[in-house]
């Protein structure tokens, strides 16, 4: 969009949620508008107030703004990194876009593998901070902008979460805090349901998506569409009955989708191409299918529940971190005993070893991966490749976060790290790519600025205890949701990818991760990988996540990478 008054040009992706308020201020100053879009308001905010005006934007967005008068280019990304923005140097100069493939298309971009990113991927299944799998392509960090003018380029934060941290709680009591959270959620849902196209909800039946659904049902006259996904594999936990119960209670127009393990190969390839780099969060599969098969037939914008765990303390690790000094007394000699009890024992040992680590960076890093120093992911590499990777640190992002939030107690430090590190690198990336690949825009009301400012300043004792999680969020919904929904423990979105690898995807997986060209390209040890795959199939030793990461790496290499270089 071009500003007809001064020729400023904006290329824009996302939504500005406070555009109505900003528009009113600009109209009071005499500015005229030709349409009703938030895009025109963003243009006018810059035209009227310059770079400082852009700091007032609230929403999910990534944009490039060209000011021909000042010969200034501005790239800007939203506070928490909901919308992506990539950049790099090309044969035509500085290149940028919403996808990695758009930067590569500019030509002569360095596409060699970034060792730091590769190491992070082996441990976590995704890259961190401003890194991508390619040396020559970077991701603009959340809350950052790049300003290029006068031959100079600077990349700096235009906002950081520390700006909103205060020394005292914004509420006098838990009850007042729960009222504030409910009111802020209502405001967030109300302004995020403004759109020119039909809007629906992704509903799991958990407290996060149910709270959003309750707010929508409270605010909207008429029925609201909601959607849930389940799996044809009955060995896991199905959330469909719980979601259906919430939908019935709230009077939603509810639809369900069953993910079939018999039709996944093409979907996995499509998602590999949508991500443009290896990405191993398997929850992108049901998200994509739900968007494509259900939501895409009726709606174009969906409200999604991400962010509630990171804001209100939804993960088990937060409760464990309340007593880090006690866990340091855990005798490490008992870990091998736990490992002998199979997958459950190994998981308990991993959590105990992680939470008892005296180094806060390593403590958080190990809490966020299924890999352990006892069984490191580098075992799949050749000896020579392992030596080369010894020069990089796969835990760098969490060491940086530990230093950044060093003044906070362990639970708050973990919450802030999750919000600024894991959330944008994994969960928000998953939501954006999976939904946009199906032509759906996902919005995340729980990460709205109105909620964010309140939640990050509430005491962690109001969020998590030894027995309870998301305490204040659950209390905020007492008048709106059934008691059993409010008190139900958190259940992760258990995608049965380990079962798929053993059964319907076994041949597909084997052919890709043992392909000779793939093994050579990444210096992988084929015999180790084959042994790992066979043991997984037989149930002797479960390394399902490691195998899934290898499969996603192979699909990236075989399809997305080769296509992007053509």
């Amino acid at each position: 969009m071009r500003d007809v008054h001064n020729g400023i040009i904006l290329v824009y992706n996302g939504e500005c949620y406070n555009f109505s308020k900003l528009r009113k201020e600009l109209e009071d100053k005499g500015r005229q508008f030709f349409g009703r879009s938030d895009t025109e308001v963003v243009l006018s905010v810059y035209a009227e107030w310059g770079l400082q005006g852009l700091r007032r934007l609230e929403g999910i967005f990534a944009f490039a703004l060209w000011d021909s008068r000042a010969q200034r280019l501005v790239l800007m990304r939203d506070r928490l990194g909901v919308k992506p923005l990539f950049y790099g140097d090309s044969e035509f100069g500085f290149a940028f876009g919403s996808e990695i493939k758009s930067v590569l298309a500019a030509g002569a971009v360095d596409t060699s593998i970034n060792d730091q990113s590769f190491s992070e991927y082996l441990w976590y299944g995704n890259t961190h901070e401003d890194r991508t799998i390619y040396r020559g392509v970077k991701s603009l960090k959340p809350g950052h902008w790049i300003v290029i003018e006068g031959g100079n380029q600077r990349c700096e934060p235009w906002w950081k979460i520390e700006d909103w941290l205060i020394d005292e709680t914004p509420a006098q009591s838990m009850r007042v805090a729960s009222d504030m959270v409910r009111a802020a959620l209502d405001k967030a849902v109300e302004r995020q349901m403004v759109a020119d196209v039909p809007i629906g909800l992704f509903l799991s039946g958990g407290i996060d998506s149910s709270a959003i659904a309750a707010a929508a049902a409270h605010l909207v006259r008429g029925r609201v569409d909601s959607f849930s996904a389940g799996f044809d594999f009955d060995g896991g936990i199905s959330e469909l009955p719980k979601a259906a119960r919430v939908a019935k209670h709230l009077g939603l127009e509810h639809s369900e989708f069953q993910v079939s393990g018999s039709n996944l190969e093409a979907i996995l390839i499509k998602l590999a191409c949508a991500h443009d780099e290896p990405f191993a969060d398997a929850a992108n599969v049901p998200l994509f299918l739900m968007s494509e098969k259900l939501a895409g037939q009726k709606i174009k914008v969906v409200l999604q529940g991400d962010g509630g765990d990171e804001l209100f303390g939804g993960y088990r690790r937060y409760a464990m971190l309340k007593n880090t000094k006690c866990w340091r007394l855990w005798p490490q000699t008992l870990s091998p005993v736990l490992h002998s009890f199979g997958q459950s024992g190994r998981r308990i040992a991993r959590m105990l070893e992680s939470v008892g680590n005296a180094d806060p960076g390593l403590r958080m890093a190990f809490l966020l991966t299924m890999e352990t120093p006892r069984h490191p992911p580098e075992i799949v590499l050749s000896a020579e490749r392992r030596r080369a990777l010894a020069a990089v640190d796969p835990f760098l992002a969490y060491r940086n976060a530990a230093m950044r939030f060093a003044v906070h107690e362990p639970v708050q430090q973990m919450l802030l790290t999750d919000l600024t590190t894991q959330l944008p690198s994994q969960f928000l990336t998953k939501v954006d790519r999976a939904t946009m690949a199906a032509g759906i825009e996902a919005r995340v009301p729980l990460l709205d600025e109105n909620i964010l400012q309140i939640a990050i300043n509430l005491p962690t004792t109001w969020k998590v205890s030894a027995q309870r999680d998301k305490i204040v969020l659950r209390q905020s919904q007492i008048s709106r949701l059934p008691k059993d929904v409010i008190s139900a423990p958190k259940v992760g979105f258990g995608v049965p990818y380990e079962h798929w690898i053993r059964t319907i995807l076994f041949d597909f997986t084997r052919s890709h991760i043992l392909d000779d060209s793939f093994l050579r390209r990444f210096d992988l040890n084929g015999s180790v990988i084959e042994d790992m795959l066979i043991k997984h199939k037989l149930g002797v030793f479960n390394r399902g996540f490691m195998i899934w990461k290898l499969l996603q790496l192979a699909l990236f290499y075989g399809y997305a990478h080769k296509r992007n270089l053509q």
Side-chain angles (χ1 to χ4, degrees):
M1 182 176 284
R2 179 176 180 270
D3 188 313
V4 297
H5 301 293
N6 47 42
I8 300 171
I9 299 172
L10 179 68
V11 182
Y12 178 66
N13 173 35
E15 301 292 331
C16 175
Y17 296 137
N18 64 332
F19 81 98
S20 296
K21 178 182 178 181
L22 294 171
R23 177 180 175 131
K24 179 65 168 59
E25 285 189 46
L26 290 164
E27 287 176 331
D28 290 344
K29 294 174 72 68
R31 192 164 187 89
Q32 294 183 330
F33 289 86
F34 295 92
R36 303 192 61 80
S37 74
D38 61 332
T39 312
E40 188 178 3
V41 173
V42 174
L43 263 175
S44 300
V45 164
Y46 175 79
E48 185 71 33
W49 296 311
L51 284 173
Q52 293 307 310
L54 296 179
R55 297 178 186 270
R56 300 182 60 187
L57 301 180
E58 298 177 1
I60 56 173
F61 50 79
F63 63 77
L65 185 148
W66 171 247
D67 183 347
S68 58
R69 303 168 306 174
Q71 290 291 290
R72 172 193 290 163
L73 175 70
V74 181
L75 302 183
M76 185 169 176
R77 192 177 180 197
D78 62 63
R79 287 178 174 83
L80 294 178
V82 180
K83 287 297 178 183
L85 183 51
F86 300 97
Y87 65 96
D89 293 320
S90 77
E91 64 178 309
F92 295 106
F94 185 76
F96 57 88
S98 292
E99 296 182 273
I100 292 174
K101 63 174 64 72
S102 59
V103 179
L104 298 182
V109 177
D110 184 356
T111 56
S112 59
I113 300 299
N114 184 320
D115 281 352
Q116 176 67 36
S117 300
F118 183 59
S119 181
E120 290 173 347
Y121 177 78
L122 291 177
W123 277 88
Y124 302 100
N126 53 266
T127 57
H128 286 104
E129 298 181 321
D130 64 346
R131 293 177 286 280
T132 74
I133 196 66
Y134 297 114
R135 290 183 187 274
V137 183
K138 288 188 175 183
S139 172
L140 184 60
K141 289 182 181 180
H144 279 62
W145 60 22
I146 293 175
V147 180
I148 303 175
E149 60 182 331
N152 298 313
Q153 174 180 322
R154 68 179 191 271
C155 179
E156 60 191 13
W158 62 269
W159 175 89
K160 54 185 183 296
I161 203 165
E162 292 91 336
D163 296 340
W164 286 1
L165 291 172
I166 58 179
D167 294 330
E168 58 186 35
T169 177
Q172 300 303 312
S173 66
M174 170 86 79
R175 182 174 181 178
V176 173
S178 67
D179 290 343
M180 293 174 65
V181 168
R182 184 175 60 252
L185 179 57
D186 284 350
K187 184 175 181 180
V189 170
E190 182 177 27
R191 70 180 191 167
Q192 293 194 26
M193 292 191 78
V194 175
D196 297 324
V197 293
I199 294 181
L201 314 166
F202 281 167
L203 182 64
S204 70
I207 189 63
D208 297 338
S209 62
S210 296
I212 294 170
H218 174 73
L219 293 165
V220 177
R221 293 181 179 179
R223 295 175 74 85
V224 179
D225 288 302
S226 61
F227 308 92
S228 298
F231 301 96
D232 60 1
F233 167 59
D234 61 4
I237 299 173
S238 174
E239 293 189 324
L240 291 180
K242 188 167 58 171
R245 171 162 161 66
V246 173
K248 182 178 180 180
H249 176 81
L250 297 174
L252 307 177
E253 191 71 41
H254 191 59
S255 301
E256 295 179 351
F257 178 74
Q258 203 81 9
V259 178
S260 172
S262 61
N263 189 34
L264 285 175
E265 291 92 340
I267 300 301
L268 294 178
I269 293 170
K270 185 168 185 176
L271 284 170
C273 293
H275 281 276
D276 285 331
E277 61 179 336
F279 183 80
D281 187 337
N284 63 357
V285 174
L287 266 177
F288 170 75
L289 289 172
M290 198 158 47
S291 299
E292 183 184 56
K293 304 296 184 182
L294 278 184
Q297 300 173 8
K298 302 180 71 174
I299 64 170
K300 287 298 177 185
V301 175
V302 67
L303 303 187
Q304 165 83 11
D306 280 83
D309 291 315
E310 293 80 5
L311 281 178
F312 295 103
Y315 296 120
R316 188 177 304 171
R317 58 180 174 268
Y318 301 133
M320 296 183 72
L321 284 168
K322 295 181 74 67
N323 299 292
T324 53
K325 293 181 179 178
C326 294
W327 294 119
R328 288 176 196 166
L329 301 176
W330 164 257
Q332 297 298 317
T333 54
L334 292 182
S335 291
V337 178
L338 284 174
H339 278 264
S340 67
F341 284 94
Q343 184 176 0
S344 298
R346 289 193 294 271
R347 184 178 186 277
I348 294 172
R350 176 179 64 83
M351 294 292 288
L352 292 174
E353 291 167 0
S354 301
V355 80
N357 197 306
D359 183 320
L362 291 179
R363 180 172 64 227
M364 294 190 294
F366 290 138
L367 282 170
L368 293 171
T369 177
M370 295 173 67
E371 309 298 343
T372 67
R374 189 183 300 272
H375 300 289
E378 291 89 352
I379 192 65
V380 301
L381 302 174
S382 68
E384 183 179 355
R385 187 72 172 116
R386 287 201 299 272
R387 286 192 291 271
L389 280 188
V392 300
D393 180 7
F395 317 121
L396 176 63
Y398 295 101
R399 295 186 199 274
N400 290 340
M403 289 189 291
R404 178 179 177 183
F405 303 120
V407 298
H408 300 281
E409 47 87 12
V411 178
Q412 178 72 333
Q413 187 181 56
M414 187 83 254
L415 287 164
L416 294 173
T417 297
D418 283 342
L419 275 168
T420 58
T421 305
Q422 188 192 37
L423 187 69
S425 296
Q426 180 182 350
F427 298 128
L428 294 179
T429 295
K430 169 195 64 184
V431 171
D432 179 80
R433 307 304 190 279
T435 54
M436 291 298 286
I440 299 290
E441 178 184 279
R443 301 179 182 177
V444 280
L446 287 171
L447 295 176
D448 189 278
E449 284 85 350
N450 290 285
I451 300 176
L452 179 64
Q453 292 186 74
I454 295 171
I456 61 174
N457 288 298
L458 294 177
T460 59
T461 53
W462 292 0
K463 299 178 181 182
V464 61
S465 69
Q467 294 81 30
R468 301 172 65 197
D469 62 18
K470 301 181 189 175
I471 300 171
V472 67
L473 179 62
R474 293 180 188 276
Q475 183 166 317
S476 76
Q477 300 302 307
I478 287 176
S479 63
R480 292 184 174 177
L481 293 171
K483 289 184 179 179
D484 60 326
V485 173
I486 293 173
S487 61
K490 174 180 173 58
V491 178
F493 197 29
V495 182
Y497 65 88
E498 294 176 336
H499 170 75
W500 290 339
I501 292 170
R502 289 191 183 97
T503 56
I504 196 69
L505 287 179
F506 180 79
D507 291 336
F508 178 78
T509 301
R510 189 180 191 282
S511 66
H512 280 84
I513 68 175
L514 294 178
D515 175 78
D516 287 340
S517 64
F518 168 64
L519 295 174
R520 288 194 302 271
R521 177 64 184 83
F522 293 99
D523 294 317
L524 297 165
N525 188 322
S527 61
V528 170
I529 294 172
E530 185 169 25
D531 181 65
M532 185 182 295
L533 183 61
I534 292 172
K535 286 182 177 178
H536 179 78
K537 182 177 177 62
L538 296 175
V540 176
F541 189 60
N542 187 341
R543 290 302 301 273
F545 186 46
M546 190 67 241
I547 297 170
W548 186 257
K549 284 183 289 187
L550 289 170
L551 175 59
Q552 302 311 311
L553 181 64
L555 295 178
F556 155 74
Y557 170 69
Y559 298 95
H561 176 68
K562 290 183 178 178
R563 188 189 66 177
N564 289 337
L565 295 185
Q566 290 176 353

